[in-house]
Amino acid sequence: MTDTSQSVLSLIVNDSSLDPDLRKIAEKVEAGERISFDEGVILYEKAELGYLGVLSNFVREKLHGHKTYFNRNFHIEPTNLCVYDCKFCSYSRLIKQKEEGWELSMNEMLDMVKKYDNEPVTEVHIVGGVLPQYDMKFYSELFSSIKAHRPELHVKALTPVEYHYIFKKAKVDYATGMRLMKEAGLESMPGGGAEIFNPEIREIICKDKCTAEQWLQIHEEWHKLGQRSNATILYGHIEKYWHRVDHMEQLRQLQDKTKGFQAFIPLKFRNQGNQMSNIEEVSVIEDLRNYAIARIYLDNFDHIKAYWAMISRNTAQLSLNFGVDDIDGTLDDTTKIYSMAGAEEQNPAMSTKELVHLIKQAGRHPIERDTLYNVVTDYNDFVFEEEPKPQFYKLPVINAMEVERKQNE
Ligand code: SF4
């Protein structure tokens, strides 16, 4: 941690006017102790943004100092058609709305990979809807073909929602299925499909897809193979604060057991173009509070990540003072998941230079990482090549008096 974050936290710990519960939590955070479920709920119910900023920044800087991570990646979304009907989903179209969807073939996806042949990307992120033809055989062939074409490109693909579906169809158990996926070339799993673990909320917003237990079991099997994954939460809709804490508690327990999660990624519910459009979105203040509480609660997660494409560049910059140390990747306009839900970024793409600038503007230290958080390039003192300066052409100067004199001659 930095001296500043320590001394600001000490002010809170010594503030006798502060609510005793919040003071006790601050003492625990300063001592590096884990906070309880009830204390997590207290943070959501009582803590102001300023207080949460101090605590979460203390934890963030203790773990990472000013370092802020990003990667160079692109997405492949095989299809936006889906057999499921999650109420919050703005992205998927039911099979009966087929004309509004896309279904990429194996060759189309491999062509997308080849498009990046001369680009220094380190990761392909594959996730989309669930359809019967995208089965175990299809994905095994896709992963192995990508690895055969470009062995160093990290394949991060599919969530337990897809795995549960394809394993069930192939009649294999989770342990066997994950082992076969690994053998085909899968290297890590993104964090999607978690939504909210509470069964009553899940029943209302996404009742058909895999349950919370199945989601956690699939990650556990993957971690047992020595592999890494991420975890998400979908917040800001019909859930209560305690549902968010319960969700994080279940993740914290699995992480104690397996240590396989790398990053926790809070995903904000966006209300455009879905069946929950009547629900108002939460404010940016609530987004920042949520990042901060996640950072404080999940003491065994190394990273808290914000998807800049979902929350906008400005909020992503702010989040770096509320526990976030990773803002994902360059994306290259290859995902529709956030823009179709109403995110401010309608064509999300940032150059490395722009991402570095964005992080530096927030007073942080930009590090390009690979998927497993190995440092690819430290951009703190990196000088980008000068871009050509704009050219100005000399225009003839027209002297109005001279023109008039000539006209009168
Ligand atoms: S959230 Fe995923 S599983 Fe649910 S409808 Fe959308 S694409 Fe399908």
Side-chain angles (χ1 to χ4, degrees):
M1 90 219 74
T2 61
D3 291 346
T4 318
S5 63
Q6 170 67 71
S7 44
V8 183
L9 180 60
S10 299
L11 286 177
I12 289 193
V13 169
N14 295 315
D15 179 359
S16 54
S17 67
L18 191 66
D19 175 287
D21 289 334
L22 294 179
R23 205 163 155 208
K24 186 170 160 227
I25 294 172
E27 281 167 8
K28 278 188 155 181
V29 169
E30 190 180 38
E33 284 171 33
R34 173 170 283 189
I35 67 164
S36 67
F37 179 94
D38 290 343
E39 287 167 334
V41 177
I42 288 171
L43 285 181
Y44 274 115
E45 286 175 348
K46 290 191 186 173
E48 289 171 17
L49 185 62
Y51 164 96
L52 289 171
V54 172
L55 267 64
S56 59
N57 198 47
F58 175 84
V59 180
R60 184 241 202 259
E61 293 193 359
K62 194 166 147 189
L63 288 169
H64 307 291
H66 289 303
K67 284 180 189 159
T68 298
Y69 300 92
F70 68 94
N71 71 347
R72 288 205 249 192
N73 62 350
F74 63 99
H75 284 219
I76 295 179
E77 292 169 1
T79 180
N80 70 334
L81 298 172
C82 193
V83 296
Y84 298 124
D85 183 23
C86 304
K87 305 301 173 211
F88 57 82
C89 185
S90 314
Y91 168 81
S92 71
R93 299 292 179 266
L94 292 169
I95 297 173
K96 60 182 185 246
Q97 303 163 299
K98 211 171 174 176
E99 65 293 344
E100 293 173 35
W102 66 81
E103 285 169 80
L104 300 181
S105 67
M106 179 79 66
N107 284 340
E108 283 171 320
M109 289 190 246
L110 293 175
D111 283 346
M112 288 173 78
V113 173
K114 287 176 192 158
K115 208 182 110 198
Y116 290 91
D117 275 356
N118 297 314
E119 303 286 335
V121 290
T122 56
E123 173 191 284
V124 54
H125 178 135
I126 306 169
V127 74
V130 177
L131 280 187
Q133 67 268 35
Y134 297 109
D135 57 8
M136 250 187 105
K137 186 167 167 292
F138 183 95
Y139 280 122
S140 301
E141 196 182 325
L142 177 67
F143 300 162
S144 57
S145 304
I146 293 174
K147 292 307 284 182
H149 177 71
R150 190 168 171 179
E152 82 287 3
L153 187 67
H154 187 106
V155 176
K156 180 168 90 178
L158 313 189
T159 71
V161 178
E162 287 107 327
Y163 287 124
H164 168 76
Y165 180 87
I166 66 176
F167 295 163
K168 201 169 152 201
K169 202 159 165 277
K171 299 190 172 51
V172 295
D173 60 38
Y174 293 161
T176 311
M178 291 319 300
R179 181 177 52 75
L180 292 172
M181 288 292 115
K182 186 182 171 197
E183 284 168 15
L186 178 71
E187 287 163 296
S188 60
M189 252 205 292
E195 323 314 355
I196 282 278
F197 289 151
N198 176 271
E200 280 95 49
I201 302 288
R202 224 173 162 81
E203 175 68 19
I204 300 170
I205 67 172
C206 57
K207 71 174 173 168
D208 302 321
K209 67 185 184 189
C210 72
T211 63
E213 292 70 34
Q214 289 163 339
W215 191 99
L216 290 160
Q217 273 167 23
I218 289 175
H219 278 270
E220 186 169 352
E221 292 302 337
W222 183 239
H223 295 169
K224 279 190 204 160
L225 297 169
Q227 302 300 111
R228 312 302 301 273
S229 64
N230 292 334
T232 58
I233 183 173
L234 181 75
Y235 70 93
H237 42 90
I238 58 168
E239 87 287 5
K240 301 267 186 276
Y241 283 146
W242 73 265
H243 293 129
R244 295 191 206 175
V245 182
D246 169 64
H247 187 96
M248 290 193 286
E249 177 57 31
Q250 295 196 50
L251 289 172
R252 197 165 75 170
Q253 285 179 16
L254 180 57
Q255 180 72 335
D256 277 344
K257 205 163 149 191
T258 65
K259 302 189 175 41
F261 289 116
Q262 299 197 107
F264 179 63
I265 312 157
L267 300 175
K268 174 181 184 142
F269 164 72
R270 307 302 306 242
N271 68 6
Q272 194 174 297
N274 58 46
Q275 298 170 67
M276 289 163 66
S277 293
N278 57 319
I279 296 170
E280 211 180 312
E281 291 180 4
V282 297
S283 65
V284 170
I285 302 285
E286 185 59 20
D287 295 332
L288 297 175
R289 292 180 78 244
N290 197 59
Y291 286 120
I293 296 171
R295 181 60 287 170
I296 297 163
Y297 199 83
L298 292 172
D299 60 344
N300 54 2
F301 274 63
D302 285 341
H303 302 281
I304 303 291
K305 190 197 290 201
Y307 276 131
W308 66 265
M310 186 186 62
I311 56 168
S312 86
R313 297 169 198 223
N314 294 343
T315 310
Q317 279 181 315
L318 279 173
S319 73
L320 299 183
N321 289 322
F322 292 88
V324 170
D325 63 278
D326 185 337
I327 54 170
D328 197 52
T330 43
L331 295 178
D332 200 21
D333 196 12
T334 49
T335 175
K336 295 271 169 264
I337 288 178
Y338 317 119
S339 55
M340 286 171 82
E344 292 76 7
E345 304 281 348
Q346 282 298 298
N347 299 98
M350 259 206 267
S351 65
T352 304
K353 190 175 174 179
E354 286 173 311
L355 263 169
V356 165
H357 184 60
L358 183 137
I359 293 167
K360 282 191 169 175
Q361 265 189 334
R364 298 298 193 183
H365 172 162
I367 306 264
E368 183 193 340
R369 59 161 177 89
D370 65 14
T371 311
L372 301 175
Y373 288 85
N374 299 305
V375 175
V376 176
T377 308
D378 184 333
Y379 280 95
N380 208 32
D381 301 315
F382 189 93
V383 181
F384 286 92
E385 265 180 38
E386 277 282 310
E387 278 176 11
K389 293 222 161 53
Q391 299 278 324
F392 299 103
Y393 298 99
K394 275 199 165 171
L395 293 173
V397 178
I398 299 174
N399 180 324
M401 283 171 64
E402 181 71 6
V403 172
E404 197 179 332
R405 189 180 63 74
K406 284 204 167 147
Q407 279 172 347
N408 293 335
E409 274 178 1

